[in-house]
Amino acid sequence: MTIQRPPVSGRRFFLRRRRRILAVTAIVISLAVLVVACFGILRLQGNIKVSALRASEVDIPDSSQGLNVLILGSDSREFSSTGFGADTGSQRSDSMLLMHLPPGNGRIEAIQIPRDTVLHRPACEDTGFGYYSGGYGMINSALNYGPACSVAAVEELTGVHLNHFIEVNFEGFISIVNALDGIKVCLNNSMRDSKANLNLPAGQQTLDGPDALALARTRHAIGDGSDIARLGNQQMVMSAIVQRAKSKEVLTRPDRIYAFLDAITSSMTVDPDLSSLAELTGLAARIQAVPTDQITFTTMPTEPAPENPNRVVPAPDAKLIFERISQDIPVNSDKEDHLSRKEEAASAIREVSVLITNGTNVNGLANQYSQLATSNGFTVSGLSNSPTLQKRTRLLIPDSKGAKKAATELAKATKLDIKTTVYEGDSLQLILGQDYADLQVPDKKSIKARSRQANQDLCG
């Protein structure tokens, strides 16, 4: 039996044909996009230049305490465009940024190292830029002997082990800003500097690449014309780039994202372990995961060099900063409000009371420490004097996690560097011995350094 189908109307035929055409068109477009994407990836990969991190790498860099990346802004004049001065064949690091990214991607610490910093630079083996025998001089000149020499100089200065480096030149910086369609800044005063091709009015404004570079580089339009004076502007420019790069106007525009990535990779030189697009993408993803308000730019504290007041050396606070970077401790941890830790400490403090015994011949000592304890939330359930002098100061604690936490907080409250001893009891017992003065911890020193969070109001 033959089944005859009803004739297809002209409209239904047109709709079927249209759907087929749309389907084929969609496939063609998808293939085209895929081809363009593959070409884009190959192009981006081909953009990246590679140079050695060190002359020889025996040990794999330890990243258990986070990644430390040296970002170099090169003043090399080997450009296709003009306006940056004559090419002398040399290159220096016009800006240096030590970026620390913890394992959990919770924050970024970016420490600016002034280019006028002087130190005894270590010798550098030839990595394609010549051999350097070492000597006293400015840290920015190390780049003449390649990025590996800058890495060695920064490690010598800071004591921080570097995992990677990224070098970007002037022209690349301009391309990056232009790929973002400019960045917004806010100036308190108009700024003019003929040597940096800078002429900007006061107020909020959008800068293109050349103006952004001029603002970051100018010395003579601000302060005393020193390298230190311009670092505040560099912090503002870097914050503006971060805010713009993480904005919806860029992230939702594939054309801008590609232009941005093309500009970055075209101007970039990296170490071999960071040379693949996958590695760079992984690093970028980690940076993208960090909230903007947890990205902090800090200028290395300095003081005038003894032999030349126009040069600088690290101030004592710089050592504290780099020690914290090495130990993955927030640089401004003394200023941060760690709410969850405070709540945990407060809960532990409420669980136990404190007994304080004076084992010295200093009258009223137990009462003094009682006031320190109670002002920090502890309940002091008793004070006493020991019938005999006690040679050592001791802190007896019950065997529980809460008691150990409370003991840590009591040591902080009483400013005593004291070890604990577990005993069978319900309270903390602080027995003050004759060595109590030797155990006193000085007040924690706050680091004094110019810093700025990436989310900070550009007019603030």
Side-chain angles (χ1 to χ4, degrees):
M1 180 178 180
T2 303
I3 300 176
Q4 294 185 346
R5 293 176 179 161
V8 179
S9 68
R11 177 176 174 79
R12 289 179 62 192
F13 177 78
F14 173 76
L15 290 176
R16 284 185 181 178
R17 183 179 181 187
R18 183 181 179 186
R19 281 196 294 268
R20 291 193 189 100
I21 294 173
L22 289 175
V24 172
T25 302
I27 293 172
V28 171
I29 291 175
S30 298
L31 289 173
V33 170
L34 182 60
V35 170
V36 171
C38 291
F39 173 77
I41 291 172
L42 291 174
R43 172 180 167 82
L44 293 176
Q45 179 70 68
N47 288 343
I48 303 169
K49 295 182 285 294
V50 181
S51 185
L53 179 68
R54 295 179 178 84
S56 60
E57 187 68 72
V58 178
D59 299 322
I60 299 175
D62 179 19
S63 59
S64 61
Q65 296 295 321
L67 285 178
N68 299 313
V69 182
L70 177 63
I71 301 175
L72 300 166
S74 167
D75 70 354
S76 171
R77 266 74 172 175
E78 296 184 56
F79 301 119
S80 58
S81 59
T82 60
F84 301 97
D87 180 11
T88 62
S90 65
Q91 61 174 348
R92 296 160 298 180
S93 47
D94 197 64
S95 61
M96 306 182 79
L97 197 69
L98 172 56
M99 181 183 75
H100 176 71
L101 182 62
N105 306 332
R107 70 182 192 282
I108 289 177
E109 307 275 8
I111 313 301
Q112 295 169 284
I113 300 174
R115 57 172 288 171
D116 289 347
T117 303
V118 290
L119 74 159
H120 287 281
R121 299 199 308 263
C124 301
E125 297 295 330
D126 187 0
T127 57
F129 302 87
Y131 170 76
Y132 175 61
S133 60
Y136 192 77
M138 289 171 55
I139 195 168
N140 69 327
S141 298
L143 191 56
N144 268 322
Y145 299 92
C149 201
S150 289
V151 167
V154 170
E155 290 186 332
E156 177 73 18
L157 178 77
T158 66
V160 175
H161 185 83
L162 296 173
N163 303 92
H164 299 292
F165 82 84
I166 298 172
E167 179 190 342
V168 179
N169 58 40
F170 283 172
E171 193 168 64
F173 179 88
I174 289 174
S175 299
I176 290 168
V177 174
N178 285 342
L180 294 172
D181 283 348
I183 58 171
K184 293 181 180 179
V185 300
C186 189
L187 303 179
N188 294 327
N189 303 292
S190 61
M191 302 184 70
R192 292 177 175 81
D193 181 359
S194 59
K195 294 184 177 181
N197 297 324
L198 180 70
N199 186 0
L200 299 175
Q204 190 166 6
Q205 55 203 287
T206 299
L207 304 185
D208 61 9
D211 281 340
L213 177 63
L215 177 60
R217 296 196 66 221
T218 181
R219 292 172 177 243
H220 303 286
I222 51 174
D224 58 2
S226 69
D227 184 53
I228 301 299
R230 69 176 180 158
L231 294 182
N233 280 341
Q234 290 186 358
Q235 288 183 2
M236 178 171 61
V237 169
M238 289 186 291
S239 297
I241 290 175
V242 169
Q243 291 181 21
R244 180 64 173 163
K246 292 168 76 75
S247 69
K248 291 181 180 179
E249 288 83 358
V250 173
L251 295 178
T252 58
R253 289 279 301 273
D255 58 329
R256 285 181 179 169
I257 292 176
Y258 180 81
F260 179 53
L261 294 177
D262 187 39
I264 291 177
T265 54
S266 295
S267 62
M268 180 182 289
T269 302
V270 300
D271 61 272
D273 288 339
L274 203 57
S275 60
S276 74
L277 202 58
E279 291 293 334
L280 278 174
T281 302
L283 178 60
R286 291 186 61 179
I287 294 173
Q288 178 66 27
V290 180
T292 310
D293 62 355
Q294 294 301 314
I295 301 175
T296 305
F297 299 103
T298 302
T299 300
M300 182 187 82
T302 61
E303 56 189 27
E307 74 288 348
N308 187 347
N310 295 321
R311 301 290 179 260
V312 298
V313 294
D317 276 348
K319 182 179 180 182
L320 295 177
I321 287 177
F322 296 130
E323 285 177 352
R324 291 183 181 183
I325 291 292
S326 295
Q327 299 170 24
D328 191 30
I329 299 173
V331 169
N332 293 316
S333 59
D334 50 324
K335 299 178 182 178
E336 295 181 0
D337 181 18
H338 300 290
L339 186 59
S340 61
R341 295 183 183 178
K342 286 187 174 182
E343 289 178 348
E344 181 182 347
S347 176
I349 288 171
R350 288 191 295 267
E351 288 182 9
V352 294
S353 60
V354 182
L355 297 172
I356 301 178
T357 301
N358 183 0
T360 73
N361 54 8
V362 179
N363 292 331
L365 190 64
N367 187 54
Q368 292 179 30
Y369 277 89
S370 173
Q371 291 177 14
L372 290 173
T374 55
S375 64
N376 284 273
F378 285 91
T379 298
V380 177
S381 57
L383 302 176
S384 63
N385 292 315
S386 173
T388 58
L389 291 177
Q390 300 293 311
K391 185 176 181 180
R392 292 188 307 107
T393 299
R394 293 173 291 159
L395 181 55
L396 309 180
I397 67 170
D399 188 10
S400 69
K401 183 178 179 180
K404 293 176 182 177
K405 180 63 179 177
T408 300
E409 296 303 317
L410 181 62
K412 292 179 183 178
T414 56
K415 301 178 181 178
L416 290 174
D417 182 12
I418 184 174
K419 295 182 179 179
T420 60
T421 301
V422 175
Y423 84 119
E424 294 183 2
D426 298 326
S427 302
L428 300 182
Q429 288 197 36
L430 175 59
I431 303 171
L432 298 165
Q434 292 175 296
D435 64 344
Y436 80 95
D438 297 330
L439 302 177
Q440 291 177 341
V441 178
D443 290 333
K444 186 176 182 181
K445 188 179 187 296
S446 296
I447 291 176
K448 294 181 180 179
R450 175 189 291 175
S451 63
R452 182 189 190 100
Q453 287 183 310
N455 72 324
Q456 185 173 325
D457 186 342
L458 297 172
C459 290

